[in-house]
Amino acid sequence: MPNSVSLLDGLIIVVYFLLMVGVGLYFSRRNNSSAQFTTASGRIPGWALGLSFYATFLSAITFLGDPGKSFGSNWNPFVFSLSMPFAAYVSARFFVPFYREQKVVSAYSHLEERFGAWARTYAMLCFIMTQLARMGTIFYGVALMLNALTGYGMHWIILTLGCCIIVYTVMGGMEAVIWTEVVQAIIKTLGALLILGIVLSQVKFSTIVSTGWQEHKFSLGSFRPDFFQSSFWVVFLYGFFINLTNFGIDQNYIQRYHTARNTQDASRSIWLCVVYYLPVSMLFFFIGTALYVYYQQQPELILELKQQVTLEKGLDFNALQPADYGDKVLPFFIKTQIPTGFLGLLMAALLSAAMSTMSSGMNSSATVFLQDIYQRYFNPQASPEQQLRVLRIATIVMGCLGMAFGLGMIGVKSLLDAWWKMAGLFASGMLGLFLLGFLNRRVGERAAKIAAILGLMLIFWLSFRDYFPLHWQSPFDSKLTVVLGTLTIVGIGVLMERVWRRNAS
């Protein structure tokens, strides 16, 4: 039977859902063209765009995955956040002006100009798979939390939440996506501060720091140049390349650069995202460490959760490790320790963390379908009415596929690990091809094809190493997939072009 949720908490959730749908209805009056639906006609202020990027980064993966990892191990994944300023500099300095000057909403159309239609199609498919993986991970994360809080089935939670997001995204387009993300960014930041305040009311800050330091919970990983485990440098390189993918070639972000009033606002929005996200990311890792210390002091309070995980996963209770139930600790704490009223606010914050990322993912994926598939292969002369209809249908389809991915993820061990693995798999070839064309204008289609094929073979080997015989398995940490895959495509492409030019001369 579902757990009882107080009338006040339920009312807060209903008001939140009505607010999001209301935003969609408000902006639906302006949605009379594909340009308005995809780029809000270029009239979004830089500060709002920065909050929108920040809201996309601060997803349910951060809300659950970061505290779960710091509770179960240490702060090693926080290095991902520390890499953001470096990727932001490259993107704001080079990529944003490039896209704004091109004035093409699709992030992948220039790949066709450089290497042919195959490159554009491949990058587009990688992007769509990345968005589906991201949406699926977030759907699963929010269902995990709400299931623990309310007792409702995870399948029904995913379906209900997905339908609500689809409704306001289809109605309001990109302008509704951005302004709802502004609201959601504020709500989930306040939610994180509320959780920390409640934890600190029950365990002293000095106790958390001293206990966490003694048990190496604040460790960022080994600083040795070790690429065979999750060292500081492995996570830093992974974070740099993934964030470069986000800010540099992800349609989710490139599309929103065109919503800004000018290039300066678009570049500034990236730095605003970094300024907002870094301290809040640290806050979530600290929450995980604080919960670890809290339950170390009062182990009887977490006994119920450990028994539940033991039954669900068929593990030995005495052999249970914090990493086995890290993702479930924050939902369990909220369920058992948060007073009435505050619970509704935190549930709204969690829903904000999920809805912000998925609405932008649905909208950008629909844009890619329109420009890179429908107009490229089926109807190049589509009328504005046809384009708008295709965008809305594609948004609904992408939302349904995202829900399907979320249902398929039910039962994974670590939310953050699952997302990082899928992100590395799909981003590697996409980023490699883009950098190959961006950094060296002399590389041609033939060299790019060979580089892409060899790069994909390496990416496949690194991503699915556990399925190979022991003596054929990659020794590298799986997070290096995006690093090695990208560098391989760029390196081989440049090398092949130089060899052919030398032979020709």
Side-chain angles (χ1 to χ4, degrees), residues 74-385:
N74 53 36
W75 282 39
N76 175 241
F78 177 64
V79 180
F80 177 93
S81 302
L82 296 179
S83 71
M84 282 183 66
F86 299 89
Y89 172 78
V90 175
S91 302
R93 176 72 176 82
F94 300 104
F95 296 159
V96 171
F98 171 76
Y99 287 116
R100 294 280 302 190
E101 288 169 9
Q102 279 201 324
K103 296 182 179 179
V104 177
V105 177
S106 170
Y108 312 117
S109 59
H110 75 282
L111 285 175
E112 182 174 8
E113 298 173 7
R114 288 287 288 112
F115 302 130
W118 68 271
R120 178 178 183 174
T121 301
Y122 169 72
M124 176 269 301
L125 289 174
C126 282
F127 167 75
I128 288 180
M129 293 304 296
T130 302
Q131 291 307 305
L132 290 176
R134 178 184 282 133
M135 286 192 285
T137 306
I138 294 170
F139 269 126
Y140 168 64
V142 73
L144 190 71
M145 171 85 78
L146 294 180
N147 171 259
L149 296 178
T150 66
Y152 287 105
M154 296 177 70
H155 296 77
W156 288 110
I157 293 172
I158 289 174
L159 293 173
T160 303
L161 178 62
C163 290
C164 178
I165 299 172
I166 290 172
V167 166
Y168 79 75
T169 305
V170 167
M171 289 192 303
M174 181 54 78
E175 195 164 12
V177 167
I178 290 176
W179 288 111
T180 53
E181 285 186 328
V182 169
V183 175
Q184 290 161 347
I186 296 170
I187 291 174
K188 54 194 176 184
T189 303
L190 293 175
L193 293 171
L194 176 60
I195 293 171
L196 180 63
I198 293 173
V199 175
L200 290 178
S201 70
Q202 303 187 50
V203 57
K204 293 181 180 178
F205 178 83
S206 58
T207 304
I208 297 171
V209 173
S210 60
T211 304
W213 190 264
Q214 290 171 5
E215 301 199 23
H216 307 289
K217 302 297 288 184
F218 296 110
S219 171
L220 297 178
S222 170
F223 283 88
R224 293 179 300 172
D226 183 356
F227 300 104
F228 306 115
Q229 59 178 326
S230 190
S231 64
F232 175 93
W233 300 111
V234 165
V235 179
F236 183 87
L237 287 171
Y238 171 83
F240 175 76
F241 278 80
I242 289 293
N243 285 317
L244 202 61
T245 302
N246 290 335
F247 291 134
I249 62 169
D250 192 324
Q251 176 72 27
N252 208 343
Y253 296 81
I254 279 60
Q255 185 172 334
R256 279 181 279 181
Y257 295 154
H258 294 285
T259 68
R261 294 170 178 170
N262 51 57
T263 301
Q264 290 72 27
D265 275 359
S267 297
R268 193 179 302 117
S269 66
I270 295 179
W271 285 111
L272 287 174
C273 171
V274 174
V275 170
Y276 298 147
Y277 184 76
L278 257 177
V280 176
S281 173
M282 181 184 293
L283 175 63
F284 276 103
F285 277 99
F286 187 81
I287 287 172
T289 304
L291 291 175
Y292 175 84
V293 175
Y294 172 73
Y295 286 118
Q296 283 284 90
Q297 293 182 339
Q298 304 179 79
E300 70 280 359
L301 296 181
I302 203 172
L303 185 61
E304 179 187 344
L305 175 62
K306 295 173 71 173
Q307 291 173 338
Q308 176 187 333
V309 172
T310 301
L311 293 174
E312 288 178 356
K313 299 185 176 181
L315 302 174
D316 181 3
F317 181 85
N318 296 320
L320 204 63
Q321 298 296 318
D324 294 323
Y325 51 93
D327 284 346
K328 295 178 177 288
V329 166
L330 184 57
F332 181 76
F333 177 81
I334 293 175
K335 172 187 174 182
T336 56
Q337 303 298 324
I338 303 300
T340 299
F342 288 129
L343 177 59
L345 291 172
L346 289 176
M347 290 173 69
L350 174 67
L351 290 169
S352 298
M355 297 169 79
S356 58
T357 306
M358 288 189 285
S359 59
S360 57
M362 291 177 192
N363 185 281
S364 58
S365 298
T367 303
V368 164
F369 178 82
L370 172 68
Q371 298 198 354
D372 295 320
I373 298 180
Y374 184 75
Q375 288 185 294
R376 174 68 178 78
Y377 295 107
F378 298 105
N379 190 0
Q381 305 302 321
S383 66
E385 294 78 14

Side-chain angles (χ1 to χ4, degrees), residues 442 494-505:
R442 302 178 69 181
V494 172
L495 179 63
M496 295 297 293
E497 190 65 26
R498 287 184 177 178
V499 169
W500 284 329
R501 287 184 180 275
R502 184 177 302 171
N503 290 340
S505 63

Side-chain angles (χ1 to χ4, degrees), residues 398-454:
M398 284 300 300
C400 293
L401 290 175
M403 287 188 280
F405 264 66
L407 294 172
M409 288 192 65
I410 293 176
V412 299
K413 179 178 179 180
S414 171
L415 198 68
L416 194 61
D417 287 345
W419 163 238
W420 278 14
K421 185 170 184 177
M422 289 187 287
L425 171 62
F426 297 124
S428 307
M430 192 165 48
L431 180 60
L433 269 181
F434 176 83
L435 292 179
L436 181 61
F438 188 83
L439 298 175
N440 193 318
R441 306 298 298 180
R442 302 178 69 181
V443 176
E445 180 179 354
R446 181 173 58 166
K449 280 183 177 179
I450 294 175
I453 292 171
L454 295 177

